[in-house]
Amino acid sequence: MDFSGKIVWITGASSGAGEALVYAFANAGARIIVSARREAELLRVKQTIPNADVRILTLDLEKHDELPAKAAEALAMFGYIDILYHNGGVSQRSLAKDTVIEVDKRLMNINYFGAVILTKAVLPAMLARKSGHIVVMSSLTGKFGTPLRSAYAASKHALHGFFDSLRAEIHDDSIKVTLICSGYIRTYIAMNAVVGDGSAQQANDPGIQNGMLPEVFAKKALSAIFKHKNELTIGGKERFGVYLKRFVPNVFAKIIRKQN
């Protein structure tokens, strides 16, 4: 997997899977733009790999009015972007009936609209070069809904609808789209997940604690990108839910409603 000289822009790059992706791309020879809200954490990531060409660009995916200018700034750093990796996002842990609508809107604004706005801002430059690759961090909940994830699952389902359509539209322009559907990865996503009133859960999930190591995930993700796969499902046994939902949906419905 040689990404030598490739310009990669990664959102949500300050921790967890995003941080692991930065290291993986750097080891593969890429030049990287790292983005997240916390500049201090981005600086820490950059300092961890001093020999890599890493540029810092802070952004908040919820501040939609600022995103086109942030994309222009990213493009100006190297002159173009080869790979745009949408990793930034937030999760949820609450019953739909207990979740205020502002939480549903916030997850859509960050997970869905943030990615769409940045894509639309970068896409013209990719189209002009007839080259580019857009990678989207989805989830198994982008393939099926689970209890306590109604808003999160909705935002991930929306990503699939948009980017599957976009892939078909830009195929003849030699631009690729890859959706990464991850299961449990050992990150702080559960700690930072919002509950029904919008506050952080501040507790981990057993599935996350026992999940795949971020560096293992990153290696698999880079392989899928290098091979130009349309979609990749990554995880442990939880990934078989995709096939249960497809082939025995009634059995899957009985199983999933017992999950907590």
Side-chain angles (χ1 to χ4, degrees):
M1 294 184 293
D2 185 7
F3 289 91
S4 296
K6 295 294 185 182
I7 309 303
V8 183
W9 184 15
I10 305 173
T11 66
S14 61
S15 64
E19 181 177 351
L21 287 164
V22 174
Y23 301 148
F25 272 116
N27 288 334
R31 295 182 288 174
I32 308 163
I33 304 168
V34 293
S35 289
R37 292 177 300 168
R38 300 174 295 171
E39 185 173 14
E41 287 301 302
L42 292 173
L43 182 60
R44 176 189 59 80
V45 171
K46 175 182 171 69
Q47 292 173 338
T48 303
I49 43 176
N51 295 326
D53 190 351
V54 178
R55 314 287 176 90
I56 292 175
L57 176 61
T58 59
L59 63 76
D60 186 338
L61 289 170
E62 205 168 3
K63 295 181 178 179
H64 294 166
D65 291 345
E66 298 179 1
L67 296 182
K70 291 289 185 178
E73 191 174 345
L75 286 164
M77 285 182 172
F78 293 103
Y80 58 91
I81 292 169
D82 290 303
I83 301 171
L84 170 58
Y85 197 122
H86 295 296
N87 180 70
V90 63
S91 191
Q92 170 221 4
R93 301 290 187 274
S94 55
L95 296 171
K97 69 180 182 64
D98 298 329
T99 304
V100 298
I101 195 63
E102 286 75 17
V103 169
D104 295 84
K105 290 180 179 179
R106 184 173 183 232
L107 265 73
M108 289 298 293
N109 281 337
I110 296 173
N111 296 352
Y112 174 69
F113 284 113
V116 169
I117 292 169
L118 284 183
T119 296
K120 290 191 175 188
V122 170
L123 187 58
M126 289 185 172
L127 289 170
R129 296 180 67 236
K130 295 286 185 179
S131 177
H133 198 149
I134 300 165
V135 187
V136 183
M137 184 68 159
S138 182
S139 165
L140 293 182
T141 56
K143 307 293 284 184
F144 55 81
T146 69
L148 305 177
R149 309 286 198 282
S150 57
Y152 183 67
S155 69
K156 295 301 185 180
H157 275 65
L159 288 171
H160 282 255
F162 180 87
F163 284 99
D164 281 344
S165 297
L166 182 65
R167 184 192 297 114
E169 292 175 359
I170 61 180
H171 175 268
D172 291 344
D173 295 294
S174 301
I175 300 171
K176 309 298 181 183
V177 175
T178 299
L179 284 155
I180 307 288
C181 305
S182 67
Y184 296 130
I185 304 173
R186 210 175 300 178
T187 68
Y188 292 107
I189 189 170
M191 295 285 292
N192 298 323
V194 295
V195 295
D197 64 359
S199 60
Q201 177 177 240
Q202 296 184 332
N204 216 335
D205 297 345
I208 298 294
Q209 289 175 317
N210 299 315
M212 180 180 292
L213 291 172
E215 53 267 30
V216 175
F217 160 78
K219 183 177 180 180
K220 292 179 180 291
L222 261 67
S223 177
I225 296 165
F226 187 75
K227 296 174 182 176
H228 294 164
K229 287 191 174 182
N230 289 339
E231 188 172 292
L232 177 68
T233 300
I234 303 177
K237 62 182 181 181
E238 68 272 11
R239 73 187 187 280
F240 293 111
V242 174
Y243 306 103
L244 289 173
K245 177 70 162 24
R246 180 183 302 171
F247 297 112
V248 283
N250 290 335
V251 173
F252 175 80
K254 292 179 181 179
I255 293 172
I256 204 67
R257 63 177 174 244
K258 297 178 182 178
Q259 302 301 307
N260 58 7

